[in-house]
Coordinates of all heavy atoms in Angstrom, one line a residue:
R58 N 49.7 39.1 33.9 CA 49.6 39.2 32.5 C 49.0 40.6 32.2 O 48.6 41.4 33.1 CB 48.5 38.2 32.0 CG 49.2 36.8 32.1 CD 48.1 35.7 31.8 NE 48.8 34.3 32.0 CZ 48.9 33.8 33.1 NH1 48.5 34.5 34.2 NH2 49.5 32.6 33.3
K59 N 48.9 41.1 30.9 CA 48.4 42.3 30.6 C 47.1 42.5 31.2 O 46.3 41.8 31.2 CB 48.3 42.4 29.1 CG 49.7 42.6 28.4 CD 49.4 43.0 26.8 CE 48.5 42.1 26.2 NZ 48.4 42.6 24.7
H60 N 46.8 43.7 31.7 CA 45.6 44.4 32.2 C 45.0 43.5 33.4 O 43.9 43.9 33.9 CB 44.5 44.1 31.2 CG 44.9 44.8 29.8 ND1 44.6 44.3 28.5 CD2 45.6 45.9 29.6 CE1 45.0 45.1 27.6 NE2 45.6 46.0 28.2
E61 N 45.8 42.6 33.9 CA 45.4 42.0 35.1 C 45.7 42.9 36.4 O 46.7 43.5 36.5 CB 46.1 40.6 35.5 CG 45.5 39.5 34.7 CD 46.2 38.1 34.9 OE1 47.4 38.1 35.3 OE2 45.4 37.2 34.9
F62 N 44.7 43.1 37.3 CA 44.7 43.9 38.5 C 45.6 43.2 39.5 O 45.3 42.0 39.8 CB 43.4 44.4 38.9 CG 42.8 45.5 38.1 CD1 42.3 45.3 36.8 CD2 42.9 47.0 38.5 CE1 41.8 46.4 36.1 CE2 42.4 47.9 37.8 CZ 41.9 47.7 36.7
H63 N 46.6 43.9 40.1 CA 47.4 43.2 41.1 C 47.9 44.2 42.1 O 48.0 45.3 41.7 CB 48.5 42.4 40.4 CG 49.4 43.3 39.5 ND1 49.0 43.8 38.2 CD2 50.6 43.8 39.7 CE1 49.8 44.4 37.7 NE2 50.8 44.7 38.5
R64 N 48.5 43.6 43.2 CA 49.0 44.4 44.2 C 49.7 43.5 45.2 O 49.4 42.4 45.5 CB 48.2 45.5 44.9 CG 47.0 44.6 45.9 CD 46.3 45.4 46.8 NE 47.3 46.0 47.8 CZ 46.8 46.6 49.0 NH1 45.5 46.9 49.2 NH2 47.6 47.1 49.8
I65 N 50.7 44.0 45.9 CA 51.3 43.4 47.0 C 50.7 43.8 48.3 O 50.3 45.1 48.3 CB 52.9 43.7 47.1 CG1 53.6 42.8 48.2 CG2 53.1 45.1 47.5 CD1 54.1 41.6 47.8
Y66 N 50.4 42.9 49.1 CA 49.8 43.3 50.5 C 50.7 43.0 51.6 O 51.1 41.7 51.8 CB 48.5 42.6 50.6 CG 47.6 43.2 51.8 CD1 46.7 44.2 51.6 CD2 47.8 42.8 53.0 CE1 45.9 44.7 52.7 CE2 47.2 43.4 54.2 CZ 46.1 44.2 53.8 OH 45.6 44.8 55.0
H67 N 51.3 44.0 52.4 CA 52.3 43.6 53.5 C 51.5 43.2 54.8 O 50.6 44.0 55.3 CB 53.2 44.8 53.6 CG 54.1 45.2 52.3 ND1 55.1 44.5 52.1 CD2 53.8 46.1 51.4 CE1 55.6 44.8 50.8 NE2 54.8 45.8 50.6
N68 N 51.8 42.1 55.4 CA 51.3 41.8 56.5 C 51.8 42.4 57.7 O 51.3 42.6 58.8 CB 51.5 40.3 56.9 CG 50.8 39.4 55.6 OD1 49.8 39.7 55.3 ND2 51.6 38.4 55.3
S69 N 53.1 43.0 57.6 CA 53.9 43.7 58.5 C 54.8 44.6 57.9 O 54.9 44.7 56.6 CB 54.5 42.7 59.5 OG 55.7 42.2 58.8
A70 N 55.6 45.4 58.7 CA 56.5 46.3 58.1 C 57.9 45.7 58.0 O 59.0 46.4 57.9 CB 56.6 47.5 59.0
A71 N 58.1 44.3 57.8 CA 59.3 43.6 57.6 C 59.8 44.1 56.3 O 59.1 44.4 55.3 CB 59.0 42.0 57.6
P72 N 61.2 44.2 56.1 CA 61.8 44.8 55.0 C 61.3 43.9 53.6 O 61.0 42.5 53.8 CB 63.2 44.4 55.2 CG 63.4 44.5 56.6 CD 62.1 43.9 57.2
Y73 N 61.2 44.6 52.6 CA 60.6 43.9 51.5 C 61.6 44.0 50.2 O 62.0 45.2 49.9 CB 59.2 44.6 51.0 CG 58.7 44.3 49.7 CD1 58.4 42.8 49.2 CD2 58.2 45.2 48.8 CE1 58.0 42.6 48.1 CE2 57.6 45.0 47.7 CZ 57.5 43.6 47.1 OH 56.8 43.3 46.1
R74 N 62.0 42.9 49.5 CA 63.0 42.9 48.6 C 62.5 42.0 47.4 O 62.0 40.8 47.8 CB 64.4 42.4 49.0 CG 65.5 42.5 48.0 CD 66.7 42.6 48.8 NE 67.0 41.2 49.4 CZ 67.7 40.3 49.0 NH1 68.1 40.2 47.7 NH2 67.7 39.0 49.6
R75 N 62.6 42.4 46.2 CA 62.1 41.6 45.0 C 62.9 42.1 43.8 O 63.5 43.1 43.8 CB 60.7 41.8 44.9 CG 60.2 43.1 44.3 CD 60.2 44.2 45.3 NE 59.3 45.4 45.0 CZ 59.4 46.5 45.6 NH1 60.2 46.7 46.7 NH2 58.7 47.6 45.2
V76 N 62.8 41.1 42.8 CA 63.2 41.5 41.5 C 62.1 41.5 40.6 O 61.2 40.6 40.8 CB 64.2 40.4 40.9 CG1 64.6 40.7 39.4 CG2 65.4 40.3 41.7
V77 N 61.9 42.6 39.9 CA 60.8 42.9 38.9 C 61.3 42.8 37.4 O 62.1 43.6 37.1 CB 60.0 44.0 39.2 CG1 58.9 44.3 38.2 CG2 59.5 44.1 40.7
L78 N 60.6 41.9 36.6 CA 60.9 41.9 35.3 C 59.7 42.3 34.4 O 58.7 41.7 34.6 CB 61.5 40.5 34.7 CG 61.5 40.2 33.2 CD1 62.5 41.1 32.6 CD2 61.9 38.8 33.0
M79 N 59.8 43.4 33.6 CA 58.7 43.9 32.9 C 59.0 43.5 31.5 O 60.1 43.9 30.9 CB 58.4 45.3 33.0 CG 58.2 45.8 34.5 SD 56.6 45.2 35.2 CE 55.4 45.9 34.1
V80 N 58.2 42.9 30.7 CA 58.3 42.5 29.3 C 57.1 43.0 28.4 O 56.1 42.7 28.7 CB 58.6 41.0 29.1 CG1 58.9 40.6 27.6 CG2 59.5 40.5 30.1
S81 N 57.6 43.8 27.4 CA 56.5 44.2 26.4 C 56.1 43.2 25.5 O 56.9 42.3 25.1 CB 57.2 45.3 25.6 OG 56.4 45.7 24.5
P82 N 54.9 43.0 25.1 CA 54.6 42.0 24.0 C 55.4 42.2 22.8 O 55.5 41.1 22.1 CB 53.1 42.2 23.8 CG 52.6 42.9 25.1 CD 53.8 43.8 25.6
D83 N 55.9 43.2 22.5 CA 56.7 43.5 21.3 C 58.0 42.6 21.5 O 58.6 42.2 20.4 CB 57.1 44.8 21.1 CG 55.9 45.8 20.8 OD1 54.9 45.1 20.3 OD2 56.0 47.0 20.8
F84 N 58.5 42.4 22.7 CA 59.7 41.5 22.7 C 59.7 40.2 22.0 O 60.8 39.8 21.5 CB 59.9 41.4 24.3 CG 61.2 40.6 24.7 CD1 62.6 41.3 24.8 CD2 61.4 39.1 24.7 CE1 63.7 40.7 25.1 CE2 62.5 38.6 24.9 CZ 63.6 39.2 25.2
F85 N 58.6 39.5 22.1 CA 58.6 38.1 21.5 C 58.7 38.2 20.0 O 59.5 37.3 19.4 CB 57.3 37.5 21.9 CG 57.1 37.4 23.5 CD1 56.4 38.4 24.1 CD2 57.5 36.3 24.1 CE1 56.3 38.2 25.6 CE2 57.4 36.1 25.4 CZ 56.7 37.1 26.1
Q86 N 58.2 39.1 19.3 CA 58.3 39.2 18.0 C 59.7 39.7 17.6 O 60.3 39.2 16.6 CB 57.2 40.3 17.4 CG 55.8 39.8 17.6 CD 55.5 38.5 16.7 OE1 56.2 38.3 15.7 NE2 54.6 37.7 17.2
Q87 N 60.2 40.6 18.3 CA 61.6 41.3 18.0 C 62.6 40.2 18.2 O 63.7 40.3 17.5 CB 61.9 42.5 18.9 CG 61.0 43.6 18.4 CD 61.4 44.9 19.2 OE1 62.5 44.9 19.9 NE2 60.7 46.0 19.0
N88 N 62.4 39.2 18.9 CA 63.5 38.2 19.3 C 63.2 36.9 18.8 O 63.7 35.9 19.2 CB 63.8 38.2 20.9 CG 64.4 39.4 21.3 OD1 65.6 39.6 21.3 ND2 63.6 40.4 21.9
A89 N 62.2 36.8 17.8 CA 61.8 35.7 17.2 C 61.5 34.4 18.2 O 61.9 33.2 17.9 CB 62.9 35.2 16.1
C90 N 60.8 34.8 19.2 CA 60.5 33.8 20.3 C 58.9 33.9 20.5 O 58.6 33.8 21.8 CB 61.2 33.9 21.4 SG 61.2 35.4 22.3
A91 N 58.1 34.0 19.5 CA 56.6 34.3 19.7 C 55.9 33.2 20.4 O 55.1 33.2 21.2 CB 56.0 34.4 18.4
D92 N 56.6 31.7 20.2 CA 56.0 30.7 21.0 C 56.1 30.9 22.6 O 55.3 30.2 23.2 CB 56.7 29.3 20.5 CG 56.3 29.1 19.0 OD1 55.3 29.6 18.6 OD2 56.9 28.2 18.5
Y93 N 57.0 31.5 23.0 CA 57.3 31.7 24.5 C 56.3 32.6 25.1 O 56.2 32.8 26.3 CB 58.7 32.2 24.7 CG 59.8 31.3 24.1 CD1 61.0 31.7 24.1 CD2 59.6 30.1 23.6 CE1 62.1 31.0 23.6 CE2 60.5 29.2 23.1 CZ 61.8 29.8 23.1 OH 62.7 28.9 22.6
E94 N 55.3 33.3 24.3 CA 54.3 34.1 24.8 C 53.1 33.4 25.2 O 52.1 33.9 25.8 CB 54.0 35.2 23.9 CG 53.3 36.4 24.5 CD 53.0 37.5 23.3 OE1 53.2 37.3 22.2 OE2 52.4 38.6 23.8
A95 N 53.0 32.0 24.8 CA 51.9 31.3 24.9 C 51.3 31.2 26.4 O 50.2 31.2 26.7 CB 52.1 29.8 24.4
Q96 N 52.2 31.1 27.4 CA 51.8 31.0 28.8 C 51.1 32.3 29.2 O 50.2 32.3 30.0 CB 53.0 30.8 29.7 CG 52.7 30.4 31.1 CD 51.9 29.3 31.4 OE1 50.8 29.3 31.6 NE2 52.6 28.1 31.3
F97 N 51.5 33.4 28.6 CA 50.9 34.8 28.9 C 49.5 34.8 28.4 O 48.6 35.5 28.7 CB 51.8 35.9 28.6 CG 53.2 35.7 29.5 CD1 54.3 35.2 28.8 CD2 53.3 36.3 30.5 CE1 55.5 35.1 29.6 CE2 54.5 36.4 31.3 CZ 55.5 35.7 30.7
L98 N 49.5 34.3 27.1 CA 48.3 34.5 26.3 C 47.1 33.6 26.5 O 45.9 33.9 26.4 CB 48.5 34.6 24.8 CG 49.6 35.7 24.3 CD1 49.9 35.5 22.8 CD2 49.0 37.0 24.4
N99 N 47.5 32.4 26.9 CA 46.5 31.3 26.8 C 45.9 31.0 28.1 O 44.8 30.4 28.2 CB 47.1 29.9 26.2 CG 47.5 30.2 24.7 OD1 47.1 31.0 24.0 ND2 48.5 29.4 24.3
A100 N 46.5 31.4 29.3 CA 45.9 31.1 30.6 C 44.8 32.0 30.7 O 44.6 33.1 30.2 CB 46.9 31.3 31.6
S101 N 43.8 31.4 31.4 CA 42.5 32.4 31.6 C 42.8 33.5 32.7 O 43.7 33.3 33.4 CB 41.4 31.6 32.3 OG 41.1 30.3 31.5
M102 N 42.0 34.7 32.5 CA 42.3 35.8 33.3 C 42.1 35.3 34.7 O 41.1 34.5 35.1 CB 41.3 36.9 32.9 CG 41.4 38.0 33.8 SD 42.9 39.1 33.5 CE 42.2 40.0 31.9
G103 N 43.1 35.7 35.7 CA 43.0 35.2 37.0 C 43.5 34.0 37.4 O 43.3 33.6 38.5
T104 N 44.2 33.2 36.6 CA 44.7 31.9 36.9 C 46.2 31.8 36.5 O 46.8 32.7 35.8 CB 44.0 30.9 36.1 OG1 44.3 31.0 34.7 CG2 42.6 30.8 36.3
G105 N 47.0 30.8 37.0 CA 48.4 30.7 36.7 C 49.3 31.8 37.0 O 50.1 32.2 36.1

Side-chain angles (χ1 to χ4, degrees):
R58 296 168 184 82
K59 288 193 304 180
H60 305 144
E61 285 186 321
F62 280 76
H63 57 280
R64 68 167 293 192
I65 189 84
Y66 191 97
H67 298 282
N68 301 316
S69 71
Y73 172 45
R74 186 162 61 95
R75 72 283 197 192
V76 176
V77 176
L78 169 60
M79 304 294 298
V80 181
S81 166
D83 294 338
F84 181 91
F85 299 90
Q86 295 297 328
Q87 289 189 5
N88 291 276
C90 58
D92 290 347
Y93 301 169
E94 195 178 7
Q96 187 62 260
F97 299 94
L98 293 175
N99 298 334
S101 300
M102 180 74 79
T104 64

